C-alpha cells in the first residue's frame, strides 16, 4: 500500500552531492542546470527517441529478414551483407532488430505512460478538488489495485485476455495510473489549501479556472519529474512481460523478447541476447539519472550538507 | 491506542485481501470465454459445452461461483487444473516450498548486506565511495531483472564456467549440489533486492539526519559516527523495517523472472506456464498466493513501523 510513497520519498531524499560548496546559510538557488551526467543521459535518451522515429529506415535489413543460413553468427561481413552485431537465433540481423524494436519497446511504454498520466491526473485532480464521495470512491479502488504487485496484475489480465499491443498499453496504463493518481491527488490537495487558491475562490473564480490557472501550473514540475520515473517502471514492466513471452508477440521485434529468444546463444558465445539487454539498460538508466540530477538540485537542508 | 491501531491495520489487511480475491476472480471469470470453451476448444458443440459447464458449475450465476470459489479456497481446496486434471494443491505443494526456500535464502543474505552498506553510505555522503554506491544501485534498480540474470549467466556460467546456467533440481541432490543449483538465481535476486534496500536505508537515514535534533547534535560537536549510530539509527528503524518488508514483497516480481530464466521449479514458473496455456484455475490460485503474501508482508511493515514508533507505542 505504501510502496509508491516510499520510492517517491527516496528520490526526493537523495543527498545533494554538489552542495558542499554552498555556504550553509545561503538560500538554495533554484537552478536546473544539469551536471555532465545529466547531459550525457539526455543525449542517450534523445538518441533512442530519434531511433524510435528513424530506426526502421536506417536499419540495414528488415526486422524479419532471415539473412544467411547460420544462427548466432558473430559480427561479420559476408556475402549476404554486414552484420555489425551478428545474427540471432533465426539468423536475423541483431542490429536491425534493435533499431526496429526501439519503436515497440519505447513507443508502447511512452504511449502507456502518457495514457496513465491522462487518467491519473484527471482523476487525481478531480478527487482533490471535489473531495467527498468522489474522492472516497476513487481512492478506495485505487488503493486496492496499488496493493497488488504490478507483474501479477499484468499476468492475470494477459491470462484472461491474451496478449496484443493494445491490451499491453491498456493494462500498463491502468496499472500505472494508480500511482499517478496518488501523486496528483496529494499535490492537488496541497495546492487547494494554499492562500492563493482561497483568494481565487473568494474572488469568485470557477472550479475549472482554479484547476487550469492555479492547480495545474503548480503541480507541473513535480509531475514532470515523476513522469520519468514512471516511464522507467513501464519500460521494465513491458519488457519483463515480453521477456516472459507474454508481451509483444514474435515475429515483431521487441528488446525484452529479443533477450529471451537469444538467451540460448550465450552458451555458444553469441552476444545476441546482450545487445538488446544493454539497449534497455542504457535507456532506463539514462532516464533515471536525469530525474536524479533534477531532484538532487532542488532544495536541501543544513544537516544534509554538513554531515 | 496501539492495539487499536494494529487491529485496524489487520482489519484493513483482510479487507484488501477480500478486494484482491474479487479482482482476481472478476478479471479471470467474467471476461469473455470460459474454461469450458478453452477445454473443449475446436471440438465444442453447444451440447458438450452445456454439459461441461454444468459439471464445472459454470452455469451458476457469477456471485454463486465467486462464493463457492472463495469458500473452497478458504478450506484449501484450490480446484482442478485444466491441463491434465490434477488437483492444483498437488501441483502447488512442492513448488511453493521451492519458492519459499529461495525467498528465505535471499532474505538471509541480502538484509544484513543492505543495511550495512546503506548505513555506511549514509555515514559518508558525498565521498566517491558513496557516489559509487549511489550510482551503482541506481543503475541496478533501473534495469530489468533479466538484464542482471543475463549478465550473471554470461560471466559466471559462460566465461568462467563456475556455475550451471539452469537451476535444474531432481530433489535428491546433496546440500552442496543444491547450493550450486541455487547459486545463480540467488545471486541475481540478492543483487536486485539489495540495490533497492541499500538505497532506501541510505535515504531513510539521511531523511532522519535532516531533522532539527540532529542539527543540534552537529552544532554541539557530537562525532558523525556517534550521531548516526546513537541518534539517527533508532529513529530510522521504523522506515528500515518498512523497507525490508517492501523489498521482500518486491521479491514477488523478481521471482517471476528469475524462476523463468533459470527454469527453477517454483511457484512463479508454474504460474507463467498457467498463463501461457490459459489454465485459469491454476492462475487464480497462484495469483491469490502471491498477492496474499504481498498484502501480508506490507501489513507486517505497517505494524512494524507502528511498533517502532514510541509516540504510537505509548499512548498519551
Amino acid at each position: 500500500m505504501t510502496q509508491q510513497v516510499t520510492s517517491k520519498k527516496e528520490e526526493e531524499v537523495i543527498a545533494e552531492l554538489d552542495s558542499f560548496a554552498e555556504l550553509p546559510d545561503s538560500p538554495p538557488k533554484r537552478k536546473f542546470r544539469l551536471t555532465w551526467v545529466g547531459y550525457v543521459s539526455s543525449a542517450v535518451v534523445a538518441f533512442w527517441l530519434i531511433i524510435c522515429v528513424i530506426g526502421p529506415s536506417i536499419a540495414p535489413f528488415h526486422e524479419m529478414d532471415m539473412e544467411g543460413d547460420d544462427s548466432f553468427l558473430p559480427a561479420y561481413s559476408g556475402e549476404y551483407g554486414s552484420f555489425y552485431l551478428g545474427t540471432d537465433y533465426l539468423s536475423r540481423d541483431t542490429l536491425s532488430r534493435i533499431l526496429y524494436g526501439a519503436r515497440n519497446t519505447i513507443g508502447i511504454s511512452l504511449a502507456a505512460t502518457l495514457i496513465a498520466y491522462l487518467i491519473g491526473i484527471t482523476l487525481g485532480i478531480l478527487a482533490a478538488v471535489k473531495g467527498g464521495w468522489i474522492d472516497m470512491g476513487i481512492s478506495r479502488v485505487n488503493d486496492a489495485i496499488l496493493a497488488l504487485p504490478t507483474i501479477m496484475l499484468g499476468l492475470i489480465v494477459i491470462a484472461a485476455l491474451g496478449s496484443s499491443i493494445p491490451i499491453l498499453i491498456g493494462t500498463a496504463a491502468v496499472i500505472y495510473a494508480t500511482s499517478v493518481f496518488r501523486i496528483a491527488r496529494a499535490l492537488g490537495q496541497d495546492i487547494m489549501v494554499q492562500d492563493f487558491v482561497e483568494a481565487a475562490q473568494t474572488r469568485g473564480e470557477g472550479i475549472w479556472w482554479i484547476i487550469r490557472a492555479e492547480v495545474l501550473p503548480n503541480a507541473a514540475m513535480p509531475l514532470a519529474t515523476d513522469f520519468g520515473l514512471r516511464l522507467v517502471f513501464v519500460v521494465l514492466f513491458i519488457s519483463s512481460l515480453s521477456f516472459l513471452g507474454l508481451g509483444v508477440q514474435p515475429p515483431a521485434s521487441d528488446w525484452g523478447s529479443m533477450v529471451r529468444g537469444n538467451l540460448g546463444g550465450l552458451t555458444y558465445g553469441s552476444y545476441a541476447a546482450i545487445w538488446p539487454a544493454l539497449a534497455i539498460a542504457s535507456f532506463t538508466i539514462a532516464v533515471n539519472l536525469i530525474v536524479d540530477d533534477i531532484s538532487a538540485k532542488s532544495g536541501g537542508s543544513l544537516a544534509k550538507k554538513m554531515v | 491506542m496501539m492495539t487499536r491501531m494494529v487491529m485496524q491495520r489487520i482489519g484493513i489487511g483482510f479487507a484488501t485481501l477480500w478486494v484482491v480475491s474479487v479482482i482476481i476472480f472478476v478479471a479471470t471469470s467474467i471476461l469473455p470465454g470460459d474454461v469450458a470453451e478453452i477445454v473443449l476448444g475446436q471440438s465444442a458443440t453447444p451440447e458438450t459445452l452445456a454439459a461441461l459447464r454444468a459439471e464445472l458449475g459454470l452455469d451458476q450465476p457469477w456471485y454463486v461461483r465467486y462464493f463457492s470459489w472463495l469458500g473452497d479456497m478458504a478450506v484449501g481446496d484450490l480446484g482442478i487444473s485444466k491441463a491434465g486434471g490434477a488437483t492444483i494443491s498437488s501441483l502447488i505443494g512442492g513448488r511453493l516450498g521451492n519458492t519459499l526456500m529461495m525467498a528465505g535464502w535471499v532474505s538471509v543474505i541480502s538484509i544484513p548486506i543492505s543495511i550495512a552498506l546503506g548505513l555506511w553510505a549514509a555515514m559518508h555522503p558525498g565521498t566517491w565511495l558513496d557516489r559509487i554506491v549511489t550510482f551503482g544501485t541506481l543503475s541496478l534498480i533501473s534495469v530489468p531483472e533479466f538484464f542482471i540474470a543475463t549478465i550473471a549467466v554470461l560471466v559466471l556460467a559462460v566465461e568462467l564456467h563456475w556455475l550451471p546456467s539452469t537451476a535444474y533440481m531432481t530433489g535428491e541432490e546433496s546440500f552442496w549440489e543444491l547450493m550450486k543449483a541455487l547459486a545463480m538465481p540467488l545471486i541475481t535476486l540478492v543483487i536486485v533486492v539489495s540495490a533497492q534496500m541499500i538505497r532506501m536505508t541510505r535515504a531513510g537515514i539521511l531523511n532522519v539526519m535532516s531533522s532539527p535534533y540532529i542539527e543540534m547534535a552537529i552544532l554541539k560537536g557530537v562525532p558523525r559516527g556517534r550521531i548516526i549510530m546513537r541518534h539517527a539509527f533508532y529513529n530510522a528503524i521504523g522506515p528500515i523495517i518498512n523497507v525490508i518488508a517492501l523489498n521482500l514483497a518486491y521479491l514477488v516480481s523478481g521471482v517471476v523472472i528469475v524462476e523463468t530464466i533459470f527454469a527453477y521449479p517454483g511457484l512463479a514458473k508454474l504460474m507463467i506456464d498457467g498463463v501461457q496455456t490459459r489454465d485459469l484455475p491454476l492462475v487464480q490460485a497462484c495469483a491469490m498466493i502471491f498477492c496474499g503474501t504481498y498484502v501480508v508482508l506490507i501489513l507486517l511493515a505497517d505494524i512494524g513501523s507502528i511498533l517502532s514508533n514510541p509516540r504510537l507505542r505509548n499512548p498519551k
Side-chain angles (χ1 to χ4, degrees):
Chain A
M1 281 162 257
T2 45
Q3 184 179 27
Q4 304 299 336
V5 179
T6 320
S7 59
K8 186 76 184 67
K9 200 182 283 170
E10 168 214 345
E11 294 302 328
E12 285 164 5
V13 172
I14 306 305
E16 286 197 23
L17 296 177
D18 296 319
S19 56
F20 290 91
E22 279 180 43
L23 287 173
D25 54 350
S26 70
K29 277 174 236 145
R30 274 249 169 198
K31 52 180 180 192
F32 288 107
R33 252 195 9 252
L34 298 171
T35 59
W36 65 269
V37 178
Y39 283 118
V40 174
S41 310
S42 309
V44 173
V45 173
F47 168 76
W48 283 122
L49 290 179
I50 293 169
I51 293 294
C52 280
V53 181
I54 62 164
S57 30
I58 59 167
F61 299 95
H62 188 266
E63 60 176 329
M64 297 167 196
D65 275 356
M66 299 189 198
E67 299 292 330
D69 38 25
D70 279 311
S71 50
F72 293 135
L73 284 174
Y76 84 115
S77 289
E79 48 180 322
Y80 301 107
S82 299
F83 303 94
Y84 298 101
L85 298 178
T87 59
D88 73 354
Y89 67 112
L90 288 176
S91 63
R92 294 169 297 194
D93 181 38
T94 306
L95 177 65
S96 303
R97 282 182 68 76
I98 289 180
L99 293 177
Y100 272 89
R103 191 172 271 186
N104 274 333
T105 305
I106 299 177
I108 291 175
S109 310
L110 259 181
T113 317
L114 284 172
I115 299 174
Y117 257 75
L118 207 65
I119 304 173
I121 291 184
T122 313
L123 293 181
I125 302 278
L126 184 77
V129 171
K130 290 277 185 189
W133 280 108
I134 298 179
D135 183 21
M136 272 287 285
I138 308 177
S139 297
R140 286 293 83 76
V141 175
N142 198 64
D143 284 352
I145 300 181
L146 262 181
L148 297 176
T150 52
I151 194 92
M152 282 296 139
L153 283 171
L155 291 179
I156 296 168
V157 173
I158 286 166
L161 292 180
S163 185
S164 67
I165 288 180
I167 287 178
L168 277 179
I169 294 180
T171 311
V174 171
I175 292 176
Y176 286 94
T178 54
S179 22
V180 180
F181 169 84
R182 262 180 97 111
I183 295 159
R185 177 172 167 273
L187 282 170
Q189 281 178 333
D190 277 356
I191 297 166
M192 282 308 283
V193 296
Q194 299 281 326
D195 289 342
F196 55 80
V197 173
E198 210 171 308
Q201 279 168 336
T202 323
R203 224 162 46 225
E205 303 287 1
I207 196 78
W208 292 113
W209 190 91
I210 292 177
I211 291 177
R212 187 175 51 78
E214 311 280 19
V215 178
L216 284 180
N218 280 295
M221 195 55 213
L223 284 175
T225 324
D226 181 71
F227 185 86
L229 289 177
R230 221 48 62 195
L231 178 63
V232 170
F233 286 133
V234 176
V235 171
L236 297 185
F237 174 77
I238 297 279
S239 45
S240 292
L241 282 179
S242 292
F243 177 82
L244 294 171
L246 304 169
V248 178
Q249 294 300 310
S253 47
D254 163 271
W255 294 345
S257 48
M258 284 176 72
V259 177
R260 176 61 180 281
N262 293 318
L263 211 55
L266 277 180
T267 339
Y268 312 116
S270 160
Y271 278 44
I274 302 290
W275 301 120
L278 280 177
I280 300 175
S282 67
F283 182 75
T284 49
I285 293 177
V287 173
N288 250 346
L289 284 175
I290 297 174
V291 173
D292 207 39
D293 222 26
I294 293 174
S295 42
K297 286 284 176 198
S298 44
S301 75
L302 170 67
K304 257 197 272 172
K305 287 173 195 168
M306 288 184 66
V307 177
Chain B
M1 179 181 172
M2 185 192 78
T3 333
R4 228 190 72 203
M5 284 192 74
V6 171
M7 292 313 285
Q8 205 178 10
R9 292 305 152 103
I10 294 176
I12 294 177
F14 272 106
T16 317
L17 270 181
W18 176 72
V19 174
V20 166
S21 78
V22 174
I23 292 179
I24 291 175
F25 184 81
V26 168
T28 49
S29 306
I30 293 183
L31 294 163
D34 62 15
V35 183
E37 275 174 42
I38 301 171
V39 172
L40 292 174
Q42 297 290 337
S43 65
T45 62
E47 294 79 35
T48 53
L49 266 179
L52 190 63
R53 281 198 182 124
E55 191 192 319
L56 295 171
L58 291 173
D59 50 350
Q60 308 277 333
W62 65 270
Y63 51 86
V64 175
R65 279 187 284 135
Y66 170 69
F67 284 108
S68 75
W69 174 72
L70 197 63
D72 285 349
M73 181 128 348
V75 296
D77 174 8
L78 299 173
I80 290 170
S81 163
K82 187 202 95 191
T87 58
I88 291 177
S89 320
S90 68
L91 287 175
I92 286 178
R95 298 292 194 106
L96 184 60
N98 283 344
T99 297
L100 287 178
M101 176 172 72
M102 175 100 83
W105 279 109
V106 172
S107 321
V108 168
I109 300 171
S110 61
I111 291 174
I113 293 181
S114 312
I115 291 186
L117 263 176
L119 263 178
W120 184 82
M123 282 164 87
H124 307 91
T127 59
W128 63 272
L129 278 165
D130 174 54
R131 281 171 192 241
I132 291 177
V133 171
T134 321
F135 179 81
T137 51
L138 179 74
S139 307
L140 288 175
I141 63 164
S142 311
V143 299
E145 290 96 348
F146 63 77
F147 176 81
I148 296 166
T150 310
I151 299 294
V153 171
L154 179 70
V155 174
L156 296 175
V158 177
E159 299 292 337
L160 297 173
H161 299 290
W162 284 356
L163 296 167
S165 59
T166 54
Y168 182 71
M169 300 200 309
T170 54
E172 294 155 3
E173 50 274 279
S174 65
F175 179 76
W176 179 239
E177 284 167 340
L178 187 70
M179 280 292 107
K180 210 170 168 184
L182 272 178
M184 201 75 100
L186 266 184
I187 290 171
T188 311
L189 279 178
V190 165
I191 292 175
V192 170
V193 172
S194 301
Q196 288 270 5
M197 282 202 274
I198 292 169
R199 280 181 77 77
M200 291 188 183
T201 308
R202 178 179 174 280
I205 298 273
L206 284 179
N207 200 12
V208 174
M209 294 302 281
S210 58
S211 47
Y213 77 97
I214 298 286
E215 204 166 304
M216 177 66 206
I218 297 168
L219 293 177
K220 75 182 183 195
V222 180
R224 198 170 56 192
R226 193 178 155 79
I227 291 179
I228 294 200
M229 295 316 292
R230 299 282 307 173
H231 297 241
F233 184 66
Y234 291 99
N235 280 312
I237 286 180
I240 290 175
I241 291 178
N242 228 324
V243 166
I244 291 172
L246 284 175
N247 280 288
L248 295 182
Y250 188 78
L251 258 182
V252 169
S253 66
V255 151
V256 173
I257 301 286
V258 166
E259 287 190 1
T260 308
I261 194 169
F262 295 112
Y264 181 77
L267 192 61
K269 181 86 174 56
L270 187 68
M271 181 174 173
I272 298 293
D273 295 344
V275 174
Q276 268 155 357
T277 53
R278 301 189 70 184
D279 188 345
L280 290 180
L282 183 62
V283 173
Q284 280 174 337
C286 293
M288 205 56 215
I289 294 177
F290 275 119
C291 295
T293 315
Y294 189 82
V295 169
V296 168
L297 281 172
I298 288 180
L299 177 69
L300 288 179
D302 262 4
I303 294 175
S305 45
I306 293 176
L307 294 183
S308 66
N309 186 340
R311 262 175 298 187
L312 298 175
R313 208 167 51 215
N314 305 310
K316 276 188 204 127

